[in-house]
C-alpha cells in the first residue's frame, strides 16, 4: 500500500485489521498452550512453567 501511495487512513485501517487478526490468533494459541504444555508440565510437577506463563502474559499485555 505504501508503494502504491495509498491514503494514510486506508493504511492505518489495514494495520488495525492485521493487529486484530494477530490478537485473535494469539488468544487461540495461548489457550492451546495452557491446555496442553502448561497443564502437562504442572501435572509433571514442573511448577516453573507457571512463572514462564506469567512472564509471557506480562509481555502480551504491554
Amino acid at each position: 500500500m505504501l508503494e502504491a501511495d495509498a491514503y494514510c487512513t486506508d493504511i492505518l485501517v489495514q494495520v488495525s485489521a492485521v493487529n486484530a487478526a494477530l490478537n485473535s490468533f494469539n488468544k487461540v494459541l495461548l489457550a492451546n498452550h495452557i491446555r496442553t504444555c502448561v497443564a502437562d508440565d504442572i501435572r509433571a510437577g514442573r511448577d516453573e512453567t507457571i512463572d514462564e506463563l506469567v512472564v509471557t502474559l506480562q509481555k502480551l499485555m504491554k
Side-chain angles (χ1 to χ4, degrees), residues 12-33:
L12 289 167
V13 168
Q14 288 301 311
V15 169
S16 179
V18 169
N19 281 332
L22 287 172
N23 284 336
S24 294
F25 174 75
N26 271 346
K27 289 175 190 175
V28 171
L29 183 59
L30 180 61
N32 185 60
H33 176 60

Side-chain angles (χ1 to χ4, degrees), residues 6-52:
Y7 188 58
C8 294
T9 302
D10 294 337
I11 296 170
L12 289 167
V13 168
Q14 288 301 311
V15 169
S16 179
V18 169
N19 281 332
L22 287 172
N23 284 336
S24 294
F25 174 75
N26 271 346
K27 289 175 190 175
V28 171
L29 183 59
L30 180 61
N32 185 60
H33 176 60
I34 292 169
R35 287 187 188 103
T36 57
C37 303
V38 174
D40 290 345
D41 282 357
I42 291 170
R43 287 186 198 105
R46 292 186 288 269
D47 291 335
E48 64 274 6
T49 299
I50 296 169
D51 295 331
E52 179 186 85

